[in-house]
């Protein structure tokens, strides 16, 4: 648990046993800096890891901090574009990293943006290496339609990108799915779903069966991309919804956490 700002205070929380652990990452005060945080399970070492990515608008390369629960320690890595794809002139450096940071196929991934390029930054949890996953050129050029924002998601077990557009026809969510993980040529556009109009909304991922979860002024709404039917979910305090992810019960933190107050 952490905010989307630059707070260096992170809580690792196990709701199954009501235990938590407070972690302290590196504090930053740079103006224009933002951070994104992801949680992953390392199956090879039976360990949990936290990846904290910090991007800077001016002058500095993006940085990564990696926390390992087994060692209860952090280490820092600088992410340079040269390390991702070799030296390429006029490529630029990472100036922005967009949440969420999702876990799939043993890797954490998030959308990274340079001054000239947008791509998926992938972090392999087992060997702690970074790689670039290319987006489709068709995702970046939607016939001149203004793109509001892009959002990564796991759509029916596959890596997906939700692209939200807004023009005189309305607001739409374009769902692109990577049918073969890591292969840029396998991107395919599955759906174009009209969004709820006349209200502010935020994407919050999707369910296992592929329904979009959208937070609106009337609450949390699920949208079936095939039938386009909408269902208002009876969830209290939906304003606090962040991002949907699968939950699996565990005894982690039982021997190294603090008990929550009743």
């Amino acid at each position: 648990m952490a905010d989307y700002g630059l707070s260096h205070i992170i809580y690792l929380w196990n709701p199954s046993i009501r235990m938590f652990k407070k972690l302290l990452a590196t504090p930053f005060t740079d103006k224009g800096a933002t951070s994104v945080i992801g949680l992953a399970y390392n199956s090879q070492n039976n360990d949990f890891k936290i990846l904290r990515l910090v991007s800077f608008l001016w002058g500095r390369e993006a940085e990564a901090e990696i926390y390992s629960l087994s060692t209860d320690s952090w280490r820092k890595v600088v992410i340079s574009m040269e390390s991702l794809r070799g030296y390429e002139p006029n490529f630029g450096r990472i100036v922005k990293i967009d949440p969420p940071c999702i876990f799939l196929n043993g890797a954490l991934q998030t959308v990274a943006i340079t001054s000239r390029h947008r791509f998926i930054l992938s972090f392999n949890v087992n060997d702690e290496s970074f790689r670039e996953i290319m987006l489709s050129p068709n995702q970046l050029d939607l016939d001149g339609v203004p793109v509001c924002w892009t959002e990564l998601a796991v759509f029916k077990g596959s890596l997906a990108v939700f692209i939200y557009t807004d023009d005189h026809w309305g607001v739409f969510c374009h769902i692109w799915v990577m049918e073969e993980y890591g292969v840029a040529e396998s991107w395919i556009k599955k759906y174009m779903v009209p969004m709820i109009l006349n209200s502010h909304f935020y994407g919050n991922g999707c369910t296992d069966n592929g329904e979009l979860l959208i937070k609106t002024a009337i609450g949390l709404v699920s949208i079936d991309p095939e039938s386009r039917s909408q269902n208002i979910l009876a969830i209290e305090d939906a304003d606090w919804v962040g991002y949907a992810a699968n939950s699996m019960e565990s005894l982690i933190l039982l021997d190294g956490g603090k008990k929550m107050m009743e």
Side-chain angles (χ1 to χ4, degrees), residues 233-258:
L233 304 180
I235 297 179
E236 297 181 3
D237 297 327
D239 286 343
W240 293 98
V241 172
Y243 190 80
N246 287 337
S247 175
M248 182 177 295
E249 291 190 346
S250 167
L251 295 179
I252 196 70
L253 297 186
L254 186 62
D255 57 352
K258 296 181 179 179

Side-chain angles (χ1 to χ4, degrees), residues 29-257:
T29 58
D30 303 60
K31 289 186 177 181
T34 56
S35 67
V36 174
I37 297 174
L39 172 67
Y41 175 66
N42 183 351
S43 59
Q44 288 186 354
N45 300 325
N46 190 29
D47 191 14
F48 285 86
K49 292 184 179 180
I50 292 175
L51 175 67
R52 183 187 187 222
L53 299 168
V54 182
S55 56
F56 306 90
L57 281 179
W58 300 284
R60 296 174 61 176
E61 294 280 6
E63 295 183 4
E65 286 187 295
I66 304 164
Y67 172 84
S68 172
L69 182 62
S70 61
T71 61
D72 191 23
S73 61
W74 292 88
R75 69 182 188 89
K76 186 176 294 187
V77 178
V78 174
I79 311 169
S80 67
M81 294 312 302
E82 286 80 4
S83 67
L84 288 176
R85 52 156 54 185
Y87 177 72
E88 287 193 18
N90 301 321
F91 190 79
R93 60 178 182 82
I94 296 174
V95 296
K96 192 172 186 295
I97 300 174
D98 286 340
C101 187
I102 64 171
F103 184 58
L104 178 69
N105 286 356
L108 287 164
Q109 34 248 322
T110 188
V111 174
I113 303 168
T114 74
S115 56
R116 302 174 179 85
H117 185 54
R118 184 186 299 260
F119 64 98
I120 296 173
L121 180 65
S122 176
F123 172 74
N124 187 297
V125 176
N126 292 324
D127 62 14
E128 296 191 349
S129 63
F130 287 94
R131 64 173 290 203
E132 174 191 19
I133 297 179
M134 299 292 292
L135 295 169
S136 166
N138 294 327
Q139 294 169 314
L140 305 176
D141 184 11
L142 296 175
D143 296 325
V145 177
V147 175
C148 300
W149 74 88
T150 57
E151 174 185 282
L152 281 188
V154 178
F155 184 82
K156 296 183 178 180
S158 297
L159 184 64
V161 176
F162 296 169
I163 302 176
Y164 296 89
T165 61
D166 185 4
D167 63 4
H168 63 279
W169 297 105
V171 180
F172 291 87
C173 176
H174 305 255
I175 300 178
W176 289 77
V177 177
M178 180 173 264
E179 296 192 316
E180 186 177 350
Y181 181 77
V183 179
E185 292 76 18
S186 70
W187 285 111
I188 183 171
K189 186 176 179 179
K190 288 283 191 180
Y191 305 100
M192 187 174 71
V193 185
M195 292 289 96
I196 301 171
L197 300 179
N198 301 321
S199 66
H200 297 290
F201 68 91
Y202 302 93
N204 298 104
C206 58
T207 64
D208 282 348
N209 62 1
E211 292 184 354
L212 308 185
L213 295 175
I214 305 295
K215 182 170 61 178
T216 73
I218 60 176
L220 192 64
V221 178
S222 65
I223 302 176
D224 187 327
E226 293 187 6
S227 66
R228 299 186 176 182
S229 62
Q230 302 176 5
N231 180 34
I232 300 175
L233 304 180
I235 297 179
E236 297 181 3
D237 297 327
D239 286 343
W240 293 98
V241 172
Y243 190 80
N246 287 337
S247 175
M248 182 177 295
E249 291 190 346
S250 167
L251 295 179
I252 196 70
L253 297 186
L254 186 62
D255 57 352

